[in-house]
Coordinates of all heavy atoms in Angstrom, one line a residue:
M1 N 16.0 -81.5 12.1 CA 14.8 -81.5 13.0 C 13.9 -82.6 12.7 O 13.6 -82.9 11.6 CB 14.1 -80.1 12.9 CG 12.8 -80.0 13.7 SD 11.9 -78.5 13.5 CE 13.1 -77.3 14.1
T2 N 13.5 -83.4 13.8 CA 12.6 -84.5 13.6 C 11.2 -84.0 13.5 O 10.9 -82.9 14.0 CB 12.8 -85.5 14.7 OG1 12.3 -84.9 15.9 CG2 14.2 -86.0 14.9
N3 N 10.3 -84.8 13.0 CA 8.9 -84.5 12.9 C 8.3 -84.3 14.3 O 7.5 -83.4 14.6 CB 8.1 -85.6 12.2 CG 8.4 -85.6 10.7 OD1 8.9 -84.6 10.1 ND2 8.2 -86.7 10.1
E4 N 8.8 -85.1 15.3 CA 8.3 -85.0 16.7 C 8.8 -83.6 17.3 O 8.0 -83.0 18.0 CB 8.9 -86.1 17.5 CG 8.2 -87.4 17.3 CD 8.6 -88.1 15.9 OE1 9.7 -87.8 15.4 OE2 7.8 -88.9 15.4
E5 N 10.0 -83.2 17.0 CA 10.4 -81.8 17.4 C 9.6 -80.7 16.8 O 9.2 -79.8 17.5 CB 11.9 -81.6 17.1 CG 12.9 -82.4 17.9 CD 14.3 -82.4 17.4 OE1 14.5 -82.3 16.2 OE2 15.2 -82.5 18.2
A6 N 9.3 -80.9 15.5 CA 8.4 -79.9 14.8 C 7.1 -79.8 15.5 O 6.5 -78.7 15.7 CB 8.4 -80.2 13.3
I7 N 6.5 -81.0 15.8 CA 5.2 -81.0 16.4 C 5.2 -80.3 17.7 O 4.3 -79.5 18.1 CB 4.7 -82.5 16.5 CG1 4.3 -83.0 15.1 CG2 3.4 -82.6 17.4 CD1 4.1 -84.5 15.1
G8 N 6.3 -80.6 18.5 CA 6.4 -79.9 19.8 C 6.5 -78.4 19.7 O 5.9 -77.7 20.5
I9 N 7.2 -77.9 18.7 CA 7.3 -76.4 18.5 C 5.9 -75.9 18.0 O 5.5 -74.8 18.4 CB 8.4 -76.1 17.5 CG1 9.7 -76.5 18.1 CG2 8.4 -74.7 17.1 CD1 10.9 -76.6 17.2
L10 N 5.2 -76.6 17.2 CA 3.9 -76.1 16.6 C 2.9 -76.1 17.7 O 1.8 -75.4 17.6 CB 3.5 -76.9 15.4 CG 4.4 -76.7 14.2 CD1 4.1 -77.7 13.1 CD2 4.3 -75.3 13.6
N11 N 3.1 -76.9 18.8 CA 2.1 -76.9 19.9 C 2.3 -75.6 20.7 O 3.4 -75.5 21.4 CB 2.4 -78.2 20.7 CG 1.5 -78.3 21.9 OD1 0.8 -77.3 22.3 ND2 1.5 -79.4 22.5
T12 N 1.4 -74.7 20.7 CA 1.6 -73.4 21.3 C 1.8 -73.5 22.8 O 2.4 -72.6 23.3 CB 0.3 -72.5 21.0 OG1 -0.8 -73.2 21.5 CG2 0.2 -72.1 19.6
K13 N 1.3 -74.5 23.4 CA 1.6 -74.7 24.9 C 3.1 -74.9 25.2 O 3.5 -74.7 26.3 CB 0.7 -75.8 25.4 CG -0.7 -75.4 25.5 CD -1.5 -76.6 26.1 CE -3.0 -76.2 26.0 NZ -3.9 -77.4 26.1
R14 N 3.8 -75.5 24.2 CA 5.2 -75.8 24.4 C 6.1 -74.8 23.7 O 7.3 -74.9 23.8 CB 5.5 -77.2 23.9 CG 4.9 -78.3 24.8 CD 5.4 -79.7 24.5 NE 6.9 -79.6 24.5 CZ 7.7 -80.5 23.8 NH1 7.1 -81.4 23.0 NH2 9.0 -80.4 23.9
R15 N 5.6 -73.9 22.9 CA 6.4 -73.1 22.1 C 7.4 -72.3 22.9 O 8.5 -72.0 22.4 CB 5.5 -72.1 21.2 CG 6.4 -71.2 20.3 CD 5.6 -70.5 19.3 NE 5.2 -71.4 18.3 CZ 4.4 -71.0 17.2 NH1 3.9 -69.8 17.2 NH2 4.1 -71.9 16.3
E16 N 7.1 -71.8 24.1 CA 8.0 -71.0 24.9 C 9.3 -71.7 25.1 O 10.4 -71.1 25.4 CB 7.4 -70.7 26.3 CG 6.1 -69.9 26.2 CD 4.9 -70.9 26.0 OE1 4.8 -71.9 26.7 OE2 4.1 -70.6 25.1
D17 N 9.3 -73.1 25.1 CA 10.5 -73.9 25.3 C 11.5 -73.7 24.1 O 12.7 -74.0 24.3 CB 10.2 -75.4 25.5 CG 9.3 -75.6 26.7 OD1 9.2 -74.7 27.5 OD2 8.7 -76.7 26.7
F18 N 11.0 -73.3 23.0 CA 11.8 -73.2 21.8 C 11.9 -71.7 21.4 O 11.0 -71.3 20.7 CB 11.2 -74.1 20.6 CG 11.0 -75.5 21.0 CD1 9.7 -75.9 21.5 CD2 12.0 -76.4 20.9 CE1 9.5 -77.2 21.8 CE2 11.8 -77.7 21.3 CZ 10.5 -78.1 21.7
Y19 N 12.9 -71.0 21.9 CA 12.8 -69.6 21.8 C 13.4 -69.0 20.5 O 13.3 -67.8 20.3 CB 13.4 -68.9 23.0 CG 14.7 -69.6 23.4 CD1 15.9 -69.3 22.8 CD2 14.7 -70.6 24.5 CE1 17.1 -69.9 23.2 CE2 15.9 -71.2 24.8 CZ 17.1 -70.9 24.2 OH 18.2 -71.5 24.6
T20 N 14.1 -69.7 19.7 CA 14.7 -69.1 18.5 C 13.7 -69.0 17.3 O 12.9 -70.0 17.1 CB 16.0 -69.7 18.0 OG1 15.7 -70.9 17.4 CG2 17.0 -69.9 19.1
E21 N 13.7 -67.9 16.7 CA 12.8 -67.7 15.5 C 13.1 -68.7 14.4 O 12.2 -69.2 13.8 CB 12.9 -66.3 15.0 CG 11.9 -65.9 14.0 CD 12.0 -64.5 13.5 OE1 12.7 -63.7 14.2 OE2 11.6 -64.2 12.4
K22 N 14.4 -69.0 14.3 CA 14.8 -69.9 13.2 C 14.2 -71.3 13.4 O 13.8 -72.0 12.5 CB 16.4 -70.0 13.2 CG 16.9 -70.8 12.1 CD 18.5 -70.8 12.1 CE 19.0 -71.8 11.1 NZ 20.2 -72.5 11.5
T23 N 14.2 -71.7 14.7 CA 13.7 -73.1 15.0 C 12.2 -73.1 14.8 O 11.7 -74.1 14.2 CB 14.0 -73.4 16.5 OG1 15.3 -73.1 16.8 CG2 13.7 -74.8 16.8
V24 N 11.5 -72.1 15.2 CA 10.0 -72.0 15.0 C 9.7 -72.0 13.4 O 8.9 -72.7 13.0 CB 9.4 -70.8 15.7 CG1 7.9 -70.7 15.3 CG2 9.6 -71.0 17.2
N25 N 10.5 -71.2 12.7 CA 10.3 -71.1 11.2 C 10.5 -72.5 10.6 O 9.8 -72.9 9.7 CB 11.2 -70.1 10.6 CG 10.8 -68.7 10.9 OD1 9.7 -68.5 11.3 ND2 11.7 -67.8 10.7
E26 N 11.5 -73.2 11.0 CA 11.8 -74.5 10.5 C 10.7 -75.5 10.8 O 10.2 -76.2 9.9 CB 13.1 -75.1 11.0 CG 13.6 -76.3 10.3 CD 14.9 -76.9 10.8 OE1 15.7 -76.1 11.5 OE2 15.2 -78.0 10.6
A27 N 10.1 -75.4 12.0 CA 9.0 -76.3 12.4 C 7.8 -75.9 11.5 O 7.0 -76.8 11.1 CB 8.7 -76.1 13.9
C28 N 7.6 -74.6 11.3 CA 6.4 -74.2 10.4 C 6.5 -74.7 9.0 O 5.6 -75.1 8.4 CB 6.3 -72.7 10.4 SG 5.7 -72.0 12.0
K29 N 7.8 -74.7 8.4 CA 8.0 -75.3 7.1 C 7.6 -76.8 7.0 O 7.0 -77.2 6.1 CB 9.4 -75.1 6.7 CG 9.8 -73.7 6.2 CD 11.2 -73.6 5.7 CE 11.6 -72.2 5.5 NZ 13.1 -72.0 5.3
I30 N 8.0 -77.5 8.1 CA 7.7 -78.9 8.1 C 6.2 -79.1 8.2 O 5.6 -80.0 7.6 CB 8.4 -79.6 9.3 CG1 10.0 -79.6 9.0 CG2 7.9 -81.0 9.6 CD1 10.8 -80.1 10.2
G31 N 5.6 -78.3 9.1 CA 4.1 -78.4 9.2 C 3.4 -78.0 7.9 O 2.4 -78.7 7.6
I32 N 3.8 -77.0 7.2 CA 3.2 -76.6 5.9 C 3.3 -77.8 4.9 O 2.3 -78.1 4.2 CB 3.8 -75.3 5.4 CG1 3.3 -74.2 6.3 CG2 3.4 -75.1 3.9 CD1 4.1 -72.9 6.1
K33 N 4.5 -78.4 4.9 CA 4.7 -79.5 3.9 C 3.8 -80.7 4.3 O 3.2 -81.3 3.4 CB 6.2 -79.9 4.0 CG 6.6 -80.9 3.0 CD 8.1 -81.3 3.1 CE 8.4 -82.5 2.2 NZ 9.7 -83.1 2.5
A34 N 3.7 -81.0 5.5 CA 2.8 -82.1 5.9 C 1.4 -81.8 5.6 O 0.7 -82.7 5.1 CB 3.0 -82.3 7.4
I35 N 0.9 -80.6 5.8 CA -0.5 -80.2 5.5 C -0.7 -80.4 4.0 O -1.7 -80.9 3.6 CB -0.8 -78.8 6.0 CG1 -0.9 -78.8 7.5 CG2 -2.1 -78.3 5.4 CD1 -0.9 -77.4 8.2
K36 N 0.2 -79.9 3.2 CA 0.1 -79.9 1.7 C 0.0 -81.4 1.3 O -0.8 -81.7 0.4 CB 1.3 -79.2 1.0 CG 1.1 -77.7 1.0 CD 2.3 -77.1 0.2 CE 2.2 -75.6 0.1 NZ 3.4 -75.0 -0.4
Q37 N 0.9 -82.2 1.8 CA 0.9 -83.6 1.4 C -0.4 -84.4 1.8 O -0.9 -85.1 1.1 CB 2.1 -84.4 2.0 CG 3.4 -84.2 1.2 CD 4.4 -85.2 1.6 OE1 4.4 -85.7 2.8 NE2 5.3 -85.5 0.7
A38 N -0.8 -84.2 3.1 CA -1.9 -85.0 3.6 C -3.3 -84.4 3.2 O -4.2 -85.2 3.2 CB -1.8 -85.0 5.1
M39 N -3.4 -83.1 3.0 CA -4.7 -82.5 2.9 C -5.0 -81.9 1.5 O -6.2 -81.8 1.2 CB -4.9 -81.5 4.0 CG -4.9 -82.1 5.4 SD -5.0 -80.9 6.7 CE -6.7 -80.7 6.7
I40 N -4.0 -81.5 0.8 CA -4.3 -80.9 -0.5 C -3.9 -81.9 -1.6 O -2.7 -82.1 -1.8 CB -3.5 -79.6 -0.7 CG1 -3.9 -78.6 0.5 CG2 -3.8 -78.9 -2.0 CD1 -3.0 -77.4 0.6
P41 N -4.9 -82.5 -2.3 CA -4.6 -83.5 -3.3 C -3.8 -82.8 -4.5 O -4.1 -81.7 -4.9 CB -5.9 -84.0 -3.8 CG -6.9 -83.1 -3.2 CD -6.3 -82.3 -2.2
Q42 N -2.8 -83.5 -5.0 CA -2.1 -83.1 -6.2 C -2.5 -84.0 -7.3 O -2.6 -85.2 -7.2 CB -0.6 -83.2 -5.9 CG 0.0 -82.3 -4.8 CD -0.2 -80.8 -5.1 OE1 0.2 -80.4 -6.2 NE2 -0.7 -80.1 -4.1
K43 N -2.7 -83.3 -8.5 CA -3.2 -84.0 -9.7 C -2.1 -85.0 -10.2 O -1.0 -84.6 -10.4 CB -3.6 -83.0 -10.7 CG -4.5 -83.5 -11.7 CD -5.1 -82.3 -12.6 CE -6.0 -82.8 -13.7 NZ -7.3 -83.3 -13.2
V44 N -2.6 -86.2 -10.5 CA -1.7 -87.2 -11.1 C -1.7 -86.9 -12.6 O -2.7 -86.8 -13.2 CB -2.2 -88.6 -10.8 CG1 -1.3 -89.7 -11.5 CG2 -2.3 -88.9 -9.3
D45 N -0.5 -86.9 -13.2 CA -0.4 -86.6 -14.7 C -0.6 -88.0 -15.4 O 0.3 -88.8 -15.4 CB 1.0 -86.0 -15.0 CG 1.1 -85.7 -16.5 OD1 0.2 -85.9 -17.2 OD2 2.2 -85.2 -16.8
L46 N -1.8 -88.2 -16.0 CA -2.1 -89.4 -16.6 C -1.6 -89.4 -18.1 O -1.8 -90.4 -18.8 CB -3.6 -89.7 -16.5 CG -4.0 -90.0 -15.1 CD1 -5.5 -90.1 -15.0 CD2 -3.4 -91.3 -14.5
T47 N -0.9 -88.4 -18.5 CA -0.4 -88.4 -19.9 C 0.9 -89.1 -19.9 O 1.5 -89.3 -21.0 CB -0.2 -86.9 -20.4 OG1 0.7 -86.2 -19.6 CG2 -1.6 -86.2 -20.4
E48 N 1.5 -89.4 -18.7 CA 2.8 -89.9 -18.6 C 2.8 -91.4 -18.1 O 3.6 -91.7 -17.3 CB 3.6 -89.0 -17.7 CG 5.0 -88.6 -18.2 CD 5.8 -87.9 -17.1 OE1 5.3 -86.8 -16.6 OE2 6.8 -88.4 -16.7
T49 N 1.8 -92.2 -18.5 CA 1.7 -93.5 -17.9 C 2.7 -94.5 -18.5 O 3.2 -94.3 -19.6 CB 0.3 -94.1 -18.2 OG1 0.0 -94.1 -19.5 CG2 -0.8 -93.3 -17.4
Y50 N 3.0 -95.5 -17.7 CA 4.0 -96.5 -18.0 C 3.4 -97.8 -17.5 O 2.7 -97.9 -16.5 CB 5.2 -96.1 -17.3 CG 6.4 -97.0 -17.4 CD1 7.2 -96.9 -18.6 CD2 6.8 -97.9 -16.4 CE1 8.3 -97.8 -18.7 CE2 7.9 -98.7 -16.5 CZ 8.6 -98.6 -17.7 OH 9.7 -99.5 -17.8
T51 N 3.7 -98.9 -18.2 CA 3.2 -100.2 -17.8 C 4.3 -100.9 -16.9 O 5.5 -101.0 -17.3 CB 2.9 -101.1 -19.0 OG1 1.9 -100.4 -19.8 CG2 2.4 -102.4 -18.6
V52 N 3.9 -101.3 -15.8 CA 4.8 -102.1 -14.9 C 4.3 -103.5 -14.7 O 3.1 -103.8 -14.8 CB 4.9 -101.4 -13.5 CG1 5.6 -100.1 -13.6 CG2 3.6 -101.3 -12.8
K53 N 5.2 -104.4 -14.5 CA 4.8 -105.8 -14.3 C 5.1 -106.1 -12.9 O 6.1 -105.7 -12.3 CB 5.6 -106.7 -15.2 CG 5.3 -106.6 -16.7 CD 6.0 -107.6 -17.5 CE 5.6 -107.4 -18.9 NZ 6.0 -108.5 -19.8
A54 N 4.1 -106.8 -12.2 CA 4.3 -107.2 -10.8 C 3.7 -108.6 -10.6 O 2.8 -109.0 -11.3 CB 3.6 -106.2 -9.9
L55 N 4.4 -109.4 -9.8 CA 3.9 -110.7 -9.4 C 2.8 -110.6 -8.5 O 2.9 -110.0 -7.4 CB 5.1 -111.5 -8.8 CG 4.7 -112.9 -8.4 CD1 4.4 -113.8 -9.6 CD2 5.8 -113.5 -7.6
D56 N 1.6 -111.2 -8.9 CA 0.5 -111.4 -7.9 C 0.7 -112.7 -7.2 O 0.6 -113.7 -7.8 CB -0.8 -111.4 -8.7 CG -2.0 -111.4 -7.8 OD1 -2.0 -112.2 -6.8 OD2 -2.9 -110.6 -8.0
V57 N 1.1 -112.6 -5.9 CA 1.5 -113.8 -5.2 C 0.3 -114.7 -5.0 O 0.5 -116.0 -4.9 CB 2.2 -113.5 -3.8 CG1 3.5 -113.0 -4.1 CG2 1.3 -112.5 -3.0
E58 N -0.9 -114.2 -4.9 CA -2.1 -115.1 -4.7 C -2.4 -115.9 -6.0 O -2.7 -117.1 -5.9 CB -3.3 -114.3 -4.3 CG -3.2 -113.8 -2.8 CD -4.5 -113.0 -2.4 OE1 -5.5 -113.1 -3.1 OE2 -4.3 -112.4 -1.4
L59 N -2.3 -115.2 -7.1 CA -2.5 -115.9 -8.4 C -1.3 -116.6 -8.9 O -1.4 -117.4 -9.9 CB -3.0 -114.9 -9.4 CG -4.4 -114.2 -9.1 CD1 -4.6 -113.1 -10.1 CD2 -5.5 -115.1 -9.0
N60 N -0.1 -116.2 -8.3 CA 1.2 -116.7 -8.8 C 1.3 -116.4 -10.3 O 1.8 -117.3 -11.1 CB 1.4 -118.2 -8.5 CG 2.8 -118.6 -8.6 OD1 3.7 -117.8 -8.5 ND2 3.1 -119.9 -8.9
K61 N 1.0 -115.2 -10.7 CA 1.0 -114.8 -12.1 C 1.6 -113.4 -12.1 O 1.4 -112.6 -11.2 CB -0.4 -114.7 -12.7 CG -0.9 -115.9 -13.4 CD -2.4 -115.7 -13.7 CE -2.6 -115.5 -15.2 NZ -4.0 -115.5 -15.5
V62 N 2.3 -113.1 -13.2 CA 2.8 -111.8 -13.4 C 1.8 -111.0 -14.2 O 1.3 -111.4 -15.2 CB 4.2 -111.8 -14.3 CG1 4.6 -110.4 -14.6 CG2 5.3 -112.5 -13.5
L63 N 1.3 -109.9 -13.6 CA 0.3 -109.1 -14.2 C 0.9 -107.7 -14.5 O 1.9 -107.3 -14.0 CB -0.9 -108.9 -13.1 CG -1.6 -110.1 -12.6 CD1 -2.6 -109.7 -11.5 CD2 -2.2 -110.9 -13.7
T64 N 0.2 -107.1 -15.5 CA 0.7 -105.7 -15.9 C -0.3 -104.7 -15.4 O -1.5 -104.9 -15.4 CB 0.9 -105.6 -17.4 OG1 -0.4 -105.9 -18.0 CG2 2.0 -106.5 -18.0
Y65 N 0.3 -103.6 -15.0 CA -0.5 -102.5 -14.5 C -0.1 -101.2 -15.1 O 1.1 -100.9 -15.2 CB -0.3 -102.3 -12.9 CG -0.7 -103.6 -12.1 CD1 0.3 -104.5 -11.8 CD2 -1.9 -103.8 -11.7 CE1 0.0 -105.6 -11.0 CE2 -2.2 -104.9 -10.9 CZ -1.2 -105.8 -10.6 OH -1.5 -106.9 -9.8
P66 N -1.0 -100.3 -15.5 CA -0.6 -99.0 -15.9 C -0.2 -98.2 -14.6 O -0.8 -98.4 -13.6 CB -1.9 -98.4 -16.5 CG -3.0 -99.2 -15.9 CD -2.5 -100.5 -15.6
S67 N 0.8 -97.4 -14.7 CA 1.3 -96.6 -13.6 C 1.6 -95.2 -14.1 O 1.8 -94.9 -15.3 CB 2.5 -97.2 -12.9 OG 3.6 -97.3 -13.8
A68 N 1.6 -94.3 -13.1 CA 1.9 -92.9 -13.4 C 2.8 -92.4 -12.3 O 2.8 -92.9 -11.2 CB 0.6 -92.1 -13.5
P69 N 3.6 -91.3 -12.6 CA 4.5 -90.8 -11.5 C 3.7 -90.0 -10.4 O 2.7 -89.3 -10.7 CB 5.4 -89.8 -12.2 CG 4.7 -89.5 -13.5 CD 3.8 -90.6 -13.8
C70 N 4.1 -90.2 -9.2 CA 3.5 -89.5 -8.1 C 3.8 -88.0 -8.3 O 4.9 -87.7 -8.7 CB 4.1 -89.9 -6.8 SG 3.7 -88.8 -5.4
P71 N 2.8 -87.1 -8.1 CA 3.0 -85.7 -8.4 C 4.0 -85.1 -7.4 O 4.6 -84.0 -7.6 CB 1.7 -85.0 -8.2 CG 0.8 -86.0 -7.5 CD 1.4 -87.4 -7.8
N72 N 4.3 -85.8 -6.3 CA 5.3 -85.2 -5.3 C 6.6 -85.9 -5.4 O 7.6 -85.2 -5.7 CB 4.7 -85.4 -3.9 CG 5.6 -84.8 -2.8 OD1 6.1 -83.7 -3.0 ND2 5.8 -85.5 -1.8
C73 N 6.7 -87.2 -5.2 CA 8.0 -87.9 -5.1 C 8.5 -88.5 -6.5 O 9.6 -88.9 -6.6 CB 8.0 -89.0 -4.0 SG 7.0 -90.4 -4.4
K74 N 7.5 -88.5 -7.5 CA 7.8 -89.0 -8.8 C 8.1 -90.5 -8.9 O 8.4 -91.0 -10.0 CB 9.0 -88.2 -9.5 CG 9.0 -86.7 -9.4 CD 7.8 -86.2 -10.1 CE 7.7 -84.7 -10.0 NZ 6.3 -84.1 -10.3
Q75 N 7.8 -91.2 -7.8 CA 7.9 -92.7 -7.9 C 6.6 -93.2 -8.6 O 5.6 -92.5 -8.5 CB 8.0 -93.3 -6.5 CG 9.2 -92.9 -5.7 CD 10.4 -93.5 -6.3 OE1 10.5 -94.7 -6.6 NE2 11.5 -92.7 -6.5
W76 N 6.7 -94.3 -9.3 CA 5.6 -94.8 -10.0 C 4.5 -95.4 -9.1 O 4.8 -96.1 -8.2 CB 6.1 -95.9 -11.0 CG 6.9 -95.4 -12.1 CD1 8.3 -95.4 -12.1 CD2 6.5 -94.7 -13.2 NE1 8.7 -94.8 -13.3 CE2 7.7 -94.3 -14.0 CE3 5.3 -94.3 -13.7 CZ2 7.6 -93.6 -15.2 CZ3 5.2 -93.6 -14.9 CH2 6.4 -93.3 -15.6
I77 N 3.3 -95.0 -9.4 CA 2.2 -95.5 -8.6 C 1.2 -96.1 -9.6 O 1.0 -95.6 -10.7 CB 1.5 -94.4 -7.8 CG1 1.2 -93.1 -8.6 CG2 2.2 -94.0 -6.5 CD1 0.5 -92.0 -7.9
I78 N 0.6 -97.2 -9.2 CA -0.4 -97.9 -10.0 C -1.6 -97.0 -10.2 O -2.1 -96.5 -9.3 CB -0.7 -99.3 -9.4 CG1 0.5 -100.2 -9.5 CG2 -1.9 -99.9 -10.1 CD1 0.4 -101.5 -8.8
V79 N -2.1 -96.9 -11.5 CA -3.3 -96.1 -11.8 C -4.5 -96.9 -11.3 O -4.9 -97.9 -11.8 CB -3.4 -95.8 -13.3 CG1 -4.7 -95.1 -13.6 CG2 -2.2 -95.0 -13.8
N80 N -5.0 -96.4 -10.2 CA -6.2 -97.0 -9.5 C -6.8 -95.9 -8.7 O -6.3 -95.4 -7.7 CB -5.7 -98.2 -8.6 CG -6.8 -98.8 -7.9 OD1 -7.9 -98.2 -7.7 ND2 -6.6 -100.0 -7.4
K81 N -8.0 -95.4 -9.2 CA -8.6 -94.3 -8.6 C -9.1 -94.5 -7.1 O -9.5 -93.6 -6.5 CB -9.7 -93.8 -9.5 CG -9.1 -93.2 -10.7 CD -10.1 -92.7 -11.8 CE -9.3 -92.2 -13.0 NZ -10.2 -91.8 -14.1
S82 N -9.0 -95.8 -6.7 CA -9.4 -96.0 -5.3 C -8.2 -95.8 -4.3 O -8.3 -95.8 -3.1 CB -10.0 -97.4 -5.1 OG -9.0 -98.4 -5.3
I83 N -7.0 -95.6 -4.9 CA -5.8 -95.3 -4.1 C -5.8 -93.8 -3.9 O -5.7 -93.0 -4.8 CB -4.5 -95.7 -4.8 CG1 -4.5 -97.3 -5.0 CG2 -3.3 -95.3 -4.1 CD1 -3.4 -97.8 -5.9
N84 N -5.9 -93.4 -2.6 CA -6.0 -91.9 -2.3 C -4.7 -91.3 -1.9 O -4.6 -90.1 -2.0 CB -7.0 -91.7 -1.2 CG -8.4 -92.1 -1.5 OD1 -8.9 -91.9 -2.6 ND2 -9.1 -92.8 -0.7
F85 N -3.7 -92.1 -1.6 CA -2.4 -91.5 -1.1 C -1.3 -92.3 -1.8 O -1.4 -93.5 -1.9 CB -2.3 -91.6 0.4 CG -3.2 -90.7 1.1 CD1 -4.5 -91.2 1.5 CD2 -2.9 -89.4 1.4 CE1 -5.4 -90.4 2.2 CE2 -3.8 -88.6 2.1 CZ -5.0 -89.0 2.5
C86 N -0.2 -91.6 -2.1 CA 1.0 -92.3 -2.5 C 1.6 -93.1 -1.4 O 1.7 -92.6 -0.2 CB 2.1 -91.3 -3.0 SG 3.7 -92.0 -3.3
Q87 N 1.9 -94.4 -1.6 CA 2.3 -95.3 -0.6 C 3.8 -95.0 -0.2 O 4.2 -95.4 0.9 CB 2.3 -96.7 -1.0 CG 0.8 -97.2 -1.2 CD 0.7 -98.6 -1.6 OE1 1.6 -99.1 -2.2 NE2 -0.5 -99.2 -1.3
R88 N 4.5 -94.2 -1.0 CA 5.9 -93.9 -0.6 C 6.0 -92.7 0.2 O 6.7 -92.6 1.2 CB 6.7 -93.9 -1.9 CG 6.8 -95.2 -2.6 CD 8.1 -95.3 -3.4 NE 8.3 -96.7 -3.8 CZ 7.7 -97.2 -4.9 NH1 6.9 -96.5 -5.7 NH2 8.0 -98.5 -5.3
C89 N 5.4 -91.6 -0.3 CA 5.6 -90.3 0.4 C 4.3 -89.8 1.1 O 4.4 -88.8 1.9 CB 6.0 -89.2 -0.6 SG 4.7 -88.7 -1.8
G90 N 3.2 -90.4 0.9 CA 2.0 -90.0 1.6 C 1.2 -88.9 1.0 O 0.3 -88.4 1.6
Q91 N 1.6 -88.5 -0.2 CA 0.9 -87.4 -0.9 C -0.5 -87.8 -1.2 O -0.8 -88.9 -1.7 CB 1.7 -87.1 -2.3 CG 1.0 -86.0 -3.1 CD 0.9 -84.7 -2.5 OE1 1.9 -84.1 -2.1 NE2 -0.3 -84.2 -2.3
K92 N -1.5 -86.9 -0.9 CA -2.9 -87.1 -1.3 C -3.0 -86.9 -2.8 O -2.4 -86.0 -3.3 CB -3.8 -86.2 -0.5 CG -5.3 -86.5 -0.7 CD -6.1 -85.7 0.2 CE -7.6 -86.3 0.1 NZ -8.5 -85.5 1.0
L93 N -3.7 -87.8 -3.5 CA -3.7 -87.9 -4.9 C -5.1 -87.4 -5.5 O -6.1 -87.7 -4.9 CB -3.5 -89.3 -5.4 CG -2.1 -89.9 -4.9 CD1 -2.1 -91.4 -5.3 CD2 -0.9 -89.1 -5.5
D94 N -5.0 -86.7 -6.6 CA -6.2 -86.2 -7.3 C -6.1 -86.9 -8.7 O -5.2 -86.6 -9.5 CB -6.2 -84.7 -7.5 CG -7.3 -84.2 -8.4 OD1 -8.1 -85.0 -8.9 OD2 -7.3 -83.0 -8.6
W95 N -7.1 -87.8 -9.0 CA -7.0 -88.6 -10.2 C -7.8 -87.9 -11.3 O -8.0 -88.5 -12.4 CB -7.6 -90.0 -10.0 CG -6.7 -90.8 -9.1 CD1 -6.9 -91.1 -7.8 CD2 -5.5 -91.5 -9.5 NE1 -5.9 -91.9 -7.3 CE2 -5.0 -92.2 -8.4 CE3 -4.8 -91.6 -10.7 CZ2 -3.9 -93.0 -8.4 CZ3 -3.7 -92.4 -10.7 CH2 -3.2 -93.1 -9.6
G96 N -8.2 -86.7 -11.1 CA -9.0 -86.0 -12.2 C -10.5 -86.0 -11.9 O -10.9 -85.7 -10.8
E97 N -11.2 -86.5 -12.9 CA -12.7 -86.4 -12.8 C -13.2 -87.0 -11.6 O -12.8 -88.1 -11.1 CB -13.3 -87.0 -14.1 CG -13.3 -88.5 -14.2 CD -12.0 -89.0 -14.8 OE1 -11.0 -88.3 -15.0 OE2 -12.0 -90.2 -15.2
K98 N -14.2 -86.3 -10.9 CA -14.8 -86.8 -9.7 C -16.0 -87.7 -10.1 O -16.7 -87.5 -11.1 CB -15.3 -85.6 -8.9 CG -14.3 -84.6 -8.5 CD -13.5 -85.0 -7.3 CE -12.5 -84.0 -6.9 NZ -11.4 -84.5 -6.2
N99 N -16.3 -88.7 -9.3 CA -17.5 -89.6 -9.4 C -17.6 -90.2 -10.7 O -18.6 -90.5 -11.3 CB -18.8 -88.8 -9.1 CG -18.7 -88.2 -7.7 OD1 -18.2 -88.7 -6.8 ND2 -19.2 -86.9 -7.7
A100 N -16.4 -90.5 -11.4 CA -16.5 -91.1 -12.7 C -16.4 -92.6 -12.6 O -15.9 -93.1 -11.5 CB -15.3 -90.6 -13.6
Ligands
ZN1 ZN1 4.8 -90.0 -3.7

């Protein structure tokens, strides 16, 4: 099922077009997953940090950055509290202490 199909089923005005309970349940699972990713921040585990090297093209220098695994997709994300979402999966991130 595509995200667009799920959105169509979750739209109550169009729901009558999709009459099987299984289809509606599948759309609801996709909707719940999307809400969790986009709206409920997951805590980043900062005990598992790793240093990554990346080329800064503007400075033409290789810089090192601390990174931590995304709580959802486990891909490495640079530790930067101004980053609110994982760039790979879209998971909303919780970096721990607020206003620090
Ligand atoms: Zn992710």
Side-chain angles (χ1 to χ4, degrees):
M1 178 180 297
T2 66
N3 290 338
E4 287 71 26
E5 287 169 328
I7 289 167
I9 293 166
L10 291 170
N11 179 345
T12 54
K13 287 179 185 160
R14 289 194 51 209
R15 181 169 284 177
E16 304 81 49
D17 300 342
F18 305 96
Y19 43 83
T20 73
E21 189 180 338
K22 186 181 173 213
T23 313
V24 173
N25 286 345
E26 192 178 341
C28 288
K29 280 183 192 167
I30 291 170
I32 289 166
K33 186 179 172 197
I35 290 166
K36 281 183 178 172
Q37 276 196 331
M39 299 175 80
I40 303 171
Q42 297 294 311
K43 202 170 177 72
V44 179
D45 183 1
L46 294 171
T47 63
E48 231 188 296
T49 58
Y50 179 77
T51 301
V52 292
K53 291 185 179 192
L55 176 68
D56 185 311
V57 288
E58 284 181 18
L59 298 173
N60 196 26
K61 267 172 108 174
V62 174
L63 302 175
T64 57
Y65 302 93
S67 64
C70 168
N72 183 47
C73 71
K74 309 300 179 199
Q75 294 292 314
W76 294 99
I77 46 179
I78 291 172
V79 175
N80 179 338
K81 291 176 183 176
S82 66
I83 297 172
N84 296 318
F85 293 91
C86 172
Q87 294 178 335
R88 293 207 171 84
C89 72
Q91 175 63 56
K92 189 171 187 179
L93 303 170
D94 174 358
W95 292 100
E97 73 273 16
K98 302 274 181 209
N99 304 320

